[in-house]
Amino acid sequence: MHQIGALPYRMTADGAIEVMLITSRDTGRWVVPKGHPIVGLAPHDAAAQEAWEEAGVRGYPCAAMLGDFRYIKRRRRGVIEATVAIYPLAAVRQDADWPERGQRQTRWFTLSDAAAAVDEPELQALIAGFRTPPAPSTLAERMLPVICTGIRRRFPMLGWFQSLMPKQGRFFEQFEAHAATLVAGADALAKLLHGEGAIAEQVAAIVAHEHEADDITRDVLQDVRRVFVTPFDRSAIIELIGAMDDAIDQMNQTANSITLYGVTDFYPAMRDMAGIIVEAARITAEAIPLLRSVNRNGDRLNELTARMIRIEGQADDIHDQGIRSLFLEHQDNPMQFVVGREIYSHLERIVDRFEDVANEIQGLVIDHA
């Protein structure tokens, strides 16, 4: 038996991730919202529907599957093994009422508590691996710098000199602050495309986050010129912050196009791409703090960047399907097609820029881990 399920999550004020679990109706054990595929709905949309029916949660599903797990489902005639495909769902709110409200309990858990609460080992691993908080750096790690890659390659015998060089600048804090603007901008874009609130309000929020990101980028570029010793090669720092800034710039351009052409209705494929953008921003927000200790976190960074690249491929497929449907629907209205295609193109570029971020992070892992 094949089922689909949702992993509703939210980010707390301190940047931690919480996920919602619900109790099963028969045994009362903690599970994720799940059910059978729904005819006429894509798997991630069906997972979002299950999350609302069973937990009252509304949000933005990611079209790229997080993973799957197996469990034993008991029936009157015996037992059967079910495989559940899990899709991340960025939670926006929990409604006051929903179909199964009186039949289940719902609760927000930390990742570690949620992993401990469920019974299925594969689901435990999916939840525990959804976000691994960066391990705190030791005093020695904070004092050990990384000399630029070019110097290290040319003079490998001088690697020992790294322990003598103090770190300077605020690069890690700046990267993390910029990643926060990506999360906020992606959330505002998803709200815009899902019709959450006034369009002008969400556009204004995206613009504000883009301006904040520009300020951070300028500070990084100033520090690259000012600081004598940097944690990574200067060109790597510039390319990473540039890729991050390009992502939110593309969000801003998407919002500008929507405003320019007065678009008020959005196609399902556009909303699907917004869900992937939200997930890409979440991955970036997790990956960036791990750069404080690349050696320790190299494996996790590789996992995160690999997922980023996978969901970018999923976004390409959604984009192509959306363009095809748009063409078939508006063959007699070329202007409508041109406007829709431009919005699709901006959304695709956002995901492409997140893939650039993943590639830059992978480069740092290769050079320093």
Side-chain angles (χ1 to χ4, degrees):
M1 176 185 295
H2 294 279
Q3 295 183 313
I4 47 84
L7 184 64
Y9 72 90
R10 66 184 184 185
M11 298 188 70
T12 62
D14 60 357
I17 290 285
E18 292 181 338
V19 297
M20 176 178 281
L21 299 180
I22 63 175
T23 54
S24 65
R25 288 184 292 189
D26 49 359
T27 64
R29 61 191 179 90
W30 290 107
V31 296
V32 294
K34 63 184 185 299
H36 297 293
I38 301 174
V39 176
L41 288 182
H44 60 285
D45 289 326
Q49 180 67 22
E50 292 293 338
W52 177 74
E53 291 181 1
E54 298 183 0
V57 174
R58 295 189 184 274
Y60 316 127
C62 177
M65 184 178 71
L66 180 65
D68 56 29
F69 73 95
R70 290 165 294 176
Y71 77 102
I72 300 300
K73 185 175 181 64
R74 291 174 173 79
R75 288 185 161 183
R76 293 178 182 178
R77 299 180 180 178
V79 297
I80 185 172
E81 184 180 75
T83 300
V84 185
I86 296 295
Y87 294 86
L89 177 73
V92 175
R93 67 178 184 274
Q94 185 178 27
D95 287 347
D97 194 21
W98 59 91
E100 299 183 16
R101 184 173 186 272
Q103 304 171 35
R104 305 176 186 272
Q105 298 179 37
T106 66
R107 184 185 303 173
W108 289 102
F109 289 82
T110 64
L111 290 178
S112 59
D113 288 345
V118 298
D119 293 338
E120 297 80 11
E122 292 169 325
L123 180 57
Q124 292 173 354
L126 279 177
I127 294 174
F130 188 60
R131 181 178 183 184
T132 302
S137 299
T138 64
L139 176 61
E141 287 174 331
R142 289 196 298 269
M143 296 305 295
L144 289 176
V146 181
I147 301 175
C148 72
T149 304
I151 294 178
R152 191 174 63 235
R153 288 174 175 170
R154 179 171 295 183
F155 304 106
M157 295 297 294
L158 297 182
W160 60 270
F161 189 64
Q162 295 179 6
S163 61
L164 304 178
M165 301 295 289
K167 287 184 179 178
Q168 300 182 39
R170 300 175 296 112
F171 295 108
F172 294 120
E173 291 83 356
Q174 291 162 332
F175 286 146
E176 290 165 21
H178 199 294
T181 68
L182 293 176
V183 171
D187 181 69
L189 180 63
K191 288 179 178 177
L192 191 161
L193 296 179
H194 281 79
E196 297 279 347
I199 290 179
E201 178 182 340
Q202 302 307 335
V203 168
I206 294 171
V207 172
H209 296 312
E210 193 269 339
H211 289 337
E212 182 181 358
D214 282 345
D215 292 338
I216 296 169
T217 301
R218 281 193 293 270
D219 289 342
V220 170
L221 296 179
Q222 289 175 0
D223 282 355
V224 166
R225 293 191 295 268
R226 177 180 61 84
V227 172
F228 181 68
V229 178
T230 57
F232 306 119
D233 184 85
R234 295 175 192 275
S235 63
I237 292 174
I238 293 172
E239 289 167 1
L240 175 58
I241 197 65
M244 294 172 67
D245 203 53
D246 287 344
I248 198 163
D249 283 346
Q250 284 297 330
M251 295 182 203
N252 189 36
Q253 291 186 34
T254 305
N256 287 340
S257 293
I258 290 171
T259 301
L260 178 64
Y261 297 117
V263 181
T264 57
D265 295 318
F266 304 97
Y267 298 96
M270 293 179 179
R271 295 192 290 269
D272 290 346
M273 294 187 72
I276 287 183
I277 290 167
V278 169
E279 175 69 355
R282 182 198 67 80
I283 293 171
T284 302
E286 177 183 353
I288 291 299
L290 299 179
L291 294 177
R292 290 177 179 267
S293 182
V294 179
N295 281 330
R296 177 180 294 182
N297 299 312
D299 290 342
R300 180 58 177 170
L301 286 167
N302 282 330
E303 292 173 1
L304 292 171
T305 53
R307 173 160 174 78
M308 185 90 82
I309 292 170
R310 285 198 303 272
I311 67 175
E312 190 276 336
Q314 184 85 30
D316 283 345
D317 293 340
I318 295 170
H319 168 269
D320 293 346
Q321 293 167 6
I323 292 293
R324 187 178 301 110
S325 297
L326 188 69
F327 174 75
L328 294 175
E329 182 177 349
H330 297 293
Q331 294 186 60
D332 298 330
N333 191 343
M335 185 56 65
Q336 193 76 16
F337 171 76
V338 169
V339 171
R341 184 179 61 180
E342 180 168 343
I343 296 174
Y344 272 120
S345 296
H346 284 307
L347 293 171
E348 182 188 33
R349 292 187 195 114
I350 296 171
V351 186
D352 288 345
R353 299 296 78 78
F354 275 114
E355 183 185 26
D356 293 342
V357 172
N359 290 334
E360 295 300 332
I361 292 173
Q362 281 185 337
L364 291 173
V365 173
I366 292 172
D367 287 341
H368 297 280

